[in-house]
């Protein structure tokens, strides 16, 4: 199956959703290239980027599940390769 490289940008505004978010990322860990999280204490949020290499439907499913968490938003950016 053809895969694509993408970045999922995540903003966590509700700290109670962090455990569920980490569980989702663990569930899809086979596709994750790397991740970086930055706590922005001045605004009480966390900014996370997750690089993935996966089929487009897997990327969409992960992003959708992340976006359905309370107080969490996610957007994707795909590479052209």
């Amino acid at each position: 199956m053809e895969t694509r490289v993408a970045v999922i940008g995540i903003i966590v505004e509700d700290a109670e959703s962090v455990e569920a978010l980490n569980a989702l990322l663990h569930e899809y860990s086979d596709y994750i290239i790397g991740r970086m999280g930055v706590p922005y204490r001045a605004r009480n949020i966390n900014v996370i980027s997750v690089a993935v290499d996966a089929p487009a439907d897997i990327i969409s499913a992960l992003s959708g599940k992340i976006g359905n968490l309370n107080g969490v938003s996610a957007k994707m950016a795909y590479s052209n390769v």
Side-chain angles (χ1 to χ4, degrees):
M1 181 178 277
E2 185 177 330
T3 64
R4 300 205 46 198
V5 175
V7 174
I8 304 173
I10 304 166
I11 296 185
V12 181
E13 297 175 345
D14 184 352
E16 292 184 15
S17 295
V18 170
E19 188 174 335
L21 173 60
N22 283 329
L24 274 174
L25 294 176
H26 178 73
E27 180 182 339
Y28 286 84
S29 63
D30 290 345
Y31 303 104
I32 294 175
I33 301 167
R35 65 187 268 191
M36 177 184 65
V38 180
Y40 188 17
R41 287 176 179 62
R43 298 243 183 184
N44 201 30
I45 62 172
N46 293 293
V47 180
I48 304 167
S49 62
V50 180
V52 295
D53 186 355
D57 60 330
I58 297 291
I59 297 169
S60 294
L62 175 56
S63 181
K65 289 177 182 180
I66 291 170
N68 282 332
L69 296 173
N70 288 331
V72 180
S73 58
K75 299 291 181 187
M76 296 178 294
Y78 285 98
S79 72
N80 290 322
V81 295

